[in-house]
Amino acid sequence: MTPLAIENRLRDELAEIAAAGLSRRRRLLASPCGRLATVDGRAMLNFASNDYLGLAGNPEIAQAMADGALRWGAGSGASHLVSGHLAPHEQIEKEIAAFVGFPRALTFSTGYLANLAIVPTLAGRGDAIFADKLNHASLIDAVQLAKAQGAASQRYPHNDMATLERQLAASSAANKIIVSDTVFSMDGDLAPLPQLFALAERYDAWLVLDDAHGFGVLGAQGRGSLSHCGLPTAPRILLMGTLGKAAGVGGAFVAGSDIAIEYLLQRARSYIFTTAAPPAIACALAQSLRIIEQGEARRANLFARIAQLRTGLNGLPWTLLPSPTAIQPLIIGPNDAALALAAALWENGLWVPAIRPPTVAKGTARLRISISAAHTTADIDRLIGALREQA
Ligand SMILES: *Cc1c(COP(=O)(O)O)cnc(C)c1O
């Protein structure tokens, strides 16, 4: 039998990926996501997940999901606009909107879909998008979709407000849309939200903010980056947040004005043409939201562990980026050095992922240390000790 030509091409490309040392492989967990995880048969201390509040394995949330499944069934049966919008979905939308302080919210099955809903729905022919260079891949793809519909787009250097302002001032687009992560996923730093908002006001632009790593962690009661920065929830802001990171469950929301959210409901293809998430997810999220709201002790522990790590890594030969969030990137530089360091930690029972190009810029391969409220003082000391030994 002759092999398929297309398969030959894929085989060649896979070989190239492998030869470049860029093959990815999945670690298999034989335990729930938590501070400790059984990975490939080994008990590992987990610094890899985005489970910042330690809620992914929370028994009350799991119980709410189980109860929700028994009460509402396993599936929603259809998209929200057909017949899949059940009472728990409606309820969680209202609770999330109230929690983040916007008039209205929509929920999505994933953050990726939520970002695909926002940008190409707001921006089409004659409109212009202004995007931070370090935005998450899902926002980059969302911009690509908008460009396919005729929107123009420009990227500005990371957090460079002067360049953004020049681009805005030079644009004669009908609609301007600024798109930024609030907390950057590989650097852990914050976007200058007050300046972004001021520019959005000055140039009458939408401000689309992806709070995947801020929601639940930053701000009063974990209300997110806007609260953290003392920004108002103005009609020109669309706030996206994911619910599979700090919230420990899955899915995402977009919050905004009544008009903006109604428009997404009517027009966003990644909202309309996909089955609504199982209602039990919404039930689990309601429980998660209650824990987040009352989670001051969790957040206090998280920020104490972050401070402990930052102090403990002082004076090492690598650069710890100035991140105030749960994402603590340690820049190693060369790919092989980052991989070797991750491997050495792994041998010590410490799971810290090495992040390489193209996910991050060339020459900035790094350990992405992810801190959780579930980590103990001893856990962080263990990580500091192991890194000091390798230095
Ligand atoms: C994780 C992430 C997303 C995607 O959210 P999912 O729910 O995982 O699809 C979007 N934006 C940012 C910044 C993220 O870190």
Side-chain angles (χ1 to χ4, degrees), residues 70-84:
L70 291 174
R71 168 76 175 83
W72 296 99
S76 63
S79 62
H80 282 278
L81 291 186
V82 174
S83 65

Side-chain angles (χ1 to χ4, degrees), residues 24 42 91 165 170 189 209 219 221 246 250 257 274 288 306 322 334-335 344 356 371 380 382 384:
R24 309 283 299 263
R42 299 180 55 153
Q91 181 64 24
E165 172 147 33
D189 60 336
L209 296 174
Q221 294 179 292
S257 71
T274 191
S288 171
I306 292 168
N335 292 354
R356 289 167 286 163
I371 307 295
I380 304 295
R382 238 182 97 189
I384 294 168

Side-chain angles (χ1 to χ4, degrees), residues 110-112 115 136 138 181 185 210 212-213 240 242 245 251:
T110 72
Y112 193 105
N115 280 337
H136 189 260
S138 57
D181 285 14
S185 46
D210 177 337
H213 303 281
M240 178 281 212
T242 62
K245 289 172 178 154

Side-chain angles (χ1 to χ4, degrees), residues 76-310:
S76 63
S79 62
H80 282 278
L81 291 186
V82 174
S83 65
H85 190 61
L86 279 64
H89 294 125
E90 178 75 12
Q91 181 64 24
I92 197 67
E93 278 181 2
K94 292 203 161 76
E95 289 182 19
I96 288 172
F99 185 62
V100 293
F102 281 88
R104 203 172 163 196
L106 278 189
T107 57
F108 290 79
S109 298
T110 72
Y112 193 105
L113 286 178
N115 280 337
L116 290 192
I118 304 170
V119 183
T121 308
L122 291 183
R125 191 163 305 286
D127 302 331
I129 300 164
F130 306 86
D132 190 288
K133 271 203 173 140
L134 293 191
N135 278 348
H136 189 260
S138 57
L139 280 176
I140 294 171
D141 292 359
V143 171
Q144 291 301 324
L145 260 182
K147 281 167 78 171
Q149 295 168 187
S153 93
Q154 285 178 277
R155 299 204 297 169
Y156 54 88
H158 180 49
N159 281 349
D160 180 346
M161 295 297 100
T163 301
L164 172 60
E165 172 147 33
R166 269 199 303 282
Q167 293 175 347
L168 286 164
S171 168
S172 56
N175 268 305
K176 301 184 182 72
I177 298 154
I178 303 169
V179 181
S180 181
D181 285 14
T182 54
V183 175
F184 289 84
S185 46
M186 294 301 145
D187 289 46
D189 60 336
L190 284 155
L193 295 184
Q195 290 95 313
L196 278 171
F197 183 67
L199 287 176
E201 293 259 276
R202 191 169 314 144
Y203 293 95
D204 192 22
W206 289 98
L207 180 56
V208 174
L209 296 174
D210 177 337
D211 205 22
H213 303 281
F215 181 80
V217 173
L218 299 176
Q221 294 179 292
R223 289 169 204 270
S225 298
L226 291 179
S227 159
H228 176 79
C229 295
L231 269 193
T233 53
R236 69 175 66 254
I237 298 178
L238 274 173
L239 178 72
M240 178 281 212
T242 62
L243 302 166
K245 289 172 178 154
V249 183
F253 67 85
V254 179
S257 71
D258 278 317
I259 296 281
I261 296 302
E262 179 64 18
Y263 187 77
L264 291 186
L265 186 155
Q266 298 295 336
R267 282 281 182 264
R269 296 173 64 83
S270 68
Y271 186 73
I272 297 170
F273 298 108
T274 191
T275 301
I281 299 279
C283 301
L285 285 169
Q287 183 61 39
S288 171
L289 208 54
R290 280 187 271 282
I291 296 175
I292 290 173
E293 267 184 305
Q294 296 160 16
E296 289 318 318
R298 285 175 192 272
R299 280 182 290 276
N301 192 56
L302 172 63
F303 286 105
R305 298 289 76 78
I306 292 168
Q308 182 193 349
L309 178 80
R310 294 193 65 84

Side-chain angles (χ1 to χ4, degrees), residues 48-67:
S49 85
N50 300 311
D51 182 22
Y52 304 129
L53 295 179
L55 296 183
N58 180 279
E60 290 167 341
I61 297 174
Q63 186 66 53
M65 190 182 278
D67 293 345

